[in-house]
Amino acid sequence: MAGGGDEAAETTLEYTPTWVVALVCTVIVAISLAVERILHYTGKYLKKKNQKPLYEALLKIKEELMLLGFISLLLTVFQIRINRICIPSHLTDQWLPCKKPSSSPPKSTSHSQKSIGAAIGRHLLAGDTGAADYCKQQGKVPLLSPTALHHLHIFIFVLAIVHVSFCVLTIVFGGAKIRQWKNWEDSILKKEYNPEEVLKNRVTHVQEHDFIRGRFLGIGKNSTLLGWLHSFFKQFYGSVTKSDYTTLRLGFIMTHCRGNPKFNFHKYMIRALEADFKKVVGISWYLWLFVAVFLLLNVHGWHAYFWLAFIPFILLLAVGTKLEHVIIQLANEVAEKHVAIQGDLIVKPSDDHFWFHRPRLVLLLIHIILFQNSFEIAFFFWIWVQYSFDSCIMGQVGYIIPRLVIGVFVQFVCSYSTLPLYAIVTQMGSSYKKAIFEEHIQVGIVDWAQKAKRNKGLRKAANGSSQVASNSSAIVELVKGGEKESAMEEGNAGEIVPANVSDGHK
C-alpha cells in the first residue's frame, strides 16, 4: 500500500463538502438511469417489432449486468475483510505476472502504482488503509491490496462489456451475411418451386448437378483427405453457394415438412439463429471458470496469454472445417449411391454427421470461441488503460501483435463465415428446432400442452378418487364378509338372520 502521507490525505464523508457528495451521487444515478431507460426502450422496440428472441437476449444482457452489480457489491462490502486476510510473505513471491526488481522494498510498498487509476481506485473503494499494518503486526502481508482489488473489479466489468459487444457485433455482421441469402429464397418461391412435382417430372444426372460438382471429390482414402482439406480452405471463401443453399433447403423441407413445399426456410433459419443468440450472449459458469484459470496462468515468462490466443483460433478453424465437411458428407451420400435420380437432388439430414451426434455442440464451441476471444481483447485494453502499453504485464511487442491479429481474424471469420455456416448446416440434423413455427403458433402449442397436462392431471385425480371409492367399498364388503364368517364360526347364527330375512323378502 501507499505510505503514511497517502493515508493522511484520505477524507471520509464527514469532512467532504455536501455539494461534492450530491454532485457525484447525481451524476452516478443519472448515468445509471440513462442506461436503464435505453435498455427499456430497446426492449419495447424489439417487442413492437415482434423480435422476441432478440428481446430475450436483451433480458440476458440485463441479467449479466445484474450479476456484475452483485459482484461489485460483494467486492465493496467485503473489501475490508479481504484486505485483512493475511498470508506469509514468501507466498507472494511466487506466480507473479511481473518479475520483482532485486532491490524492491518490502511487500507493503510493492503495490503502489504510478498510474492515476491506482490512486483513484483507493478512493473509490474506500480501502482499509490499516490492512498492511494489521498484517505487518503478524509478520505477514495482505492477501490482496485495495488497489489490486479495485483493478480486478474493473477488469470483470471490462470483460463482460467486451464479451456482450463482440457477441452483438458477431450476430449483426453474421446476420447481414445470412440476409443476403434472402434473394435465393425469394427466387425459389417466385418460381413456385414444388418438390413433389419435380420428383415426378424429370430426371437429374447426379454428377452434373452443381452441388455435387462443387462438393463431391470422389471415393477412397485420398478423396477423404482431399475432402477435409477442401473443407478447411472452403470456409474462407464462398462458404455457402446458391446450389448449397438450394439443396440443403430442399433436403430440410422434404425431411421435416414435406407437406409444405413452399416453406420459407430463410425465415426459419433467422428465427433459429436469433433464439440461439440469447444463449451465446451470456457468460456461463464454466466461462467464469476459464477466467480464473487464465488469470492463474498469467505468470511472468510463461507468455500464457500468447498461447491461449491460439485456443479460439484453433477451435474456430476446427468448427468451420467440420461444418463444411458436413456438406461434403451430404453430397457424398447421394453421389456414391446414385448416378441418376428421378426428380431433384435431395440430401438426407442426420445427426450422424456431427460430433458425438450432437449438432448443438457446435453452438457451445462458438460460445467458447467468442468468450475466449473477448477475454484476449478485454485483457489487452484493460492492461493498456490501467497500466500503460509498456507495462510488464502487457508483455513483449513480439507477443502482443500476433495476439491482436489473431483476435481480429477470429472475430471476422466467425462473423462472416462460421456463424452463417452454423445457421444453415446445423439444420441438417435429424430433428428441427421449435423456431420452425411462427411465434403465435409456438405460444398456441405451449398453451395447448399446458392445458393438456392440467386436464391429464385432473383426469388422473378423478380416476384416483373413483378408484379410492371403489377400493373403499371393496374393503367394507370384505370387512362385512369377515364379520359374517366370524359370526358363523362362533355359532352366533342369530346375528345373521336379519340379513337372510331381508334377502328373503326381496
Side-chain angles (χ1 to χ4, degrees):
M1 288 182 59
D6 287 337
E7 294 182 9
E10 295 283 351
T11 303
T12 64
L13 286 177
E14 297 173 307
Y15 302 102
T16 301
T18 55
W19 68 269
V20 175
V21 177
L23 177 62
V24 173
C25 183
T26 301
V27 171
I28 293 175
V29 172
I31 294 175
S32 301
L33 289 177
V35 173
E36 192 276 333
R37 287 290 92 188
I38 291 174
L39 294 176
H40 174 73
Y41 286 114
T42 302
K44 290 183 65 176
Y45 174 79
L46 293 175
K47 291 181 70 174
K48 182 179 179 181
K49 296 295 184 178
N50 294 322
Q51 298 290 334
K52 186 177 179 181
L54 293 180
Y55 175 72
E56 292 179 350
L58 181 65
L59 295 180
K60 189 70 175 180
I61 293 175
K62 289 184 178 180
E63 290 180 9
E64 296 299 330
L65 292 177
M66 184 179 69
L67 176 62
L68 292 175
F70 186 71
I71 293 174
S72 175
L73 178 63
L74 288 178
L75 290 175
T76 303
V77 171
F78 292 102
Q79 178 196 350
I80 295 178
R81 295 187 180 182
I82 294 174
N83 296 152
R84 287 182 177 272
I85 298 176
C86 303
I87 59 175
S89 59
H90 68 87
L91 295 179
T92 62
D93 295 330
Q94 302 172 355
W95 293 69
L96 295 175
C98 292
K99 185 178 180 180
K100 284 185 177 181
S102 57
S103 60
S104 62
K107 184 67 178 178
S108 59
T109 60
S110 64
H111 287 291
S112 60
Q113 303 290 338
K114 296 181 180 181
S115 63
I116 298 177
I120 296 175
R122 290 193 292 272
H123 292 278
L124 287 176
L125 291 181
D128 183 12
T129 56
D133 294 337
Y134 173 80
C135 293
K136 189 175 182 180
Q137 293 173 1
Q138 304 178 29
K140 299 180 179 180
V141 294
L143 176 67
L144 199 65
S145 70
T147 301
L149 188 63
H150 175 59
H151 292 173
L152 179 62
H153 187 178
I154 293 176
F155 172 68
I156 292 174
F157 270 90
V158 171
L159 174 61
I161 292 173
V162 171
H163 174 64
V164 171
S165 301
F166 273 33
C167 288
V168 172
L169 289 176
T170 301
I171 200 70
V172 168
F173 292 127
K177 176 69 176 294
I178 295 172
R179 284 179 174 83
Q180 294 177 2
W181 301 345
K182 188 176 184 299
N183 295 329
W184 298 341
E185 183 76 24
D186 292 341
S187 65
I188 295 173
L189 294 177
K190 285 180 180 178
K191 293 178 181 178
E192 296 183 349
Y193 195 87
N194 190 333
E196 299 291 346
E197 291 299 323
V198 172
L199 285 172
K200 297 177 183 178
N201 295 335
R202 67 189 183 91
V203 174
T204 298
H205 295 281
V206 174
Q207 299 296 331
E208 297 178 2
H209 196 281
D210 291 340
F211 176 71
I212 299 299
R213 285 189 297 180
R215 295 292 182 173
F216 181 62
L217 301 176
I219 302 175
K221 294 183 179 179
N222 292 335
S223 63
T224 301
L225 178 61
L226 289 175
W228 283 105
L229 290 175
H230 181 265
S231 300
F232 176 81
F233 291 105
K234 183 66 175 175
Q235 63 181 311
F236 303 119
Y237 67 95
S239 56
V240 178
T241 63
K242 185 175 181 179
S243 63
D244 296 336
Y245 180 87
T246 304
T247 305
L248 298 182
R249 172 190 180 275
L250 182 59
F252 178 89
I253 292 176
M254 297 303 294
T255 302
H256 298 302
C257 46
R258 181 182 290 265
N260 184 15
K262 292 186 179 180
F263 173 76
N264 196 316
F265 179 70
H266 186 267
K267 282 187 178 180
Y268 159 69
M269 203 166 46
I270 293 292
R271 289 197 301 267
L273 182 63
E274 291 174 346
D276 290 337
F277 171 64
K278 66 182 180 182
K279 300 176 183 178
V280 174
V281 74
I283 303 179
S284 304
W285 64 269
Y286 52 84
L287 296 180
W288 286 113
L289 184 61
F290 288 161
V291 172
V293 173
F294 295 160
L295 293 176
L296 174 66
L297 298 177
N298 185 28
V299 180
H300 176 72
W302 288 14
H303 306 294
Y305 287 158
F306 172 76
W307 302 113
L308 288 173
F310 286 93
I311 295 179
F313 177 72
I314 294 173
L315 284 178
L316 180 75
L317 297 181
V319 169
T321 302
K322 179 59 179 177
L323 292 174
E324 288 285 355
H325 193 258
V326 169
I327 303 178
I328 288 181
Q329 286 177 295
L330 293 171
N332 288 348
E333 280 189 348
V334 179
E336 291 176 358
K337 296 178 181 178
H338 305 282
V339 175
I341 56 177
Q342 188 176 13
D344 207 345
L345 186 73
I346 299 176
V347 296
K348 179 65 175 177
S350 174
D351 289 344
D352 295 337
H353 300 310
F354 296 90
W355 285 316
F356 305 105
H357 311 286
R358 294 182 59 191
R360 302 293 295 176
L361 182 62
V362 179
L363 180 65
L364 174 64
L365 293 177
I366 290 178
H367 193 183
I368 294 174
I369 290 169
L370 289 176
F371 180 80
Q372 289 187 325
N373 196 54
S374 301
F375 179 88
E376 284 288 331
I377 302 299
F379 189 82
F380 169 79
F381 283 106
W382 174 66
I383 294 297
W384 190 6
V385 173
Q386 193 69 60
Y387 297 101
S388 80
F389 188 84
D390 298 328
S391 171
C392 59
I393 303 182
M394 183 71 79
Q396 302 175 6
V397 176
Y399 291 98
I400 298 173
I401 302 302
R403 284 169 54 189
L404 292 178
V405 172
I406 290 174
V408 173
F409 174 83
V410 168
Q411 186 64 32
F412 177 81
V413 175
C414 189
S415 299
Y416 283 100
S417 177
T418 309
L419 189 67
L421 269 173
Y422 163 81
I424 187 170
V425 175
T426 53
Q427 312 308 329
M428 296 298 105
S430 301
S431 58
Y432 54 82
K433 302 176 182 178
K434 68 177 184 179
I436 196 171
F437 302 108
E438 296 282 354
E439 182 63 30
H440 65 281
I441 299 177
Q442 292 185 32
V443 174
I445 292 176
V446 171
D447 291 341
W448 172 81
Q450 291 176 348
K451 289 179 182 178
K453 189 176 181 179
R454 286 196 299 266
N455 293 336
K456 183 179 180 181
L458 292 175
R459 287 196 301 269
K460 187 178 293 185
N463 294 334
S465 61
S466 61
Q467 186 176 359
V468 169
S470 62
N471 290 339
S472 301
S473 301
I475 292 172
V476 171
E477 293 297 329
L478 288 173
V479 171
K480 289 182 178 179
E483 291 175 348
K484 291 179 181 180
E485 291 178 0
S486 299
M488 292 177 68
E489 289 175 0
E490 294 175 2
N492 298 328
E495 294 182 5
I496 60 174
V497 167
N500 291 335
V501 169
S502 62
D503 289 341
H505 283 298
K506 289 180 180 178

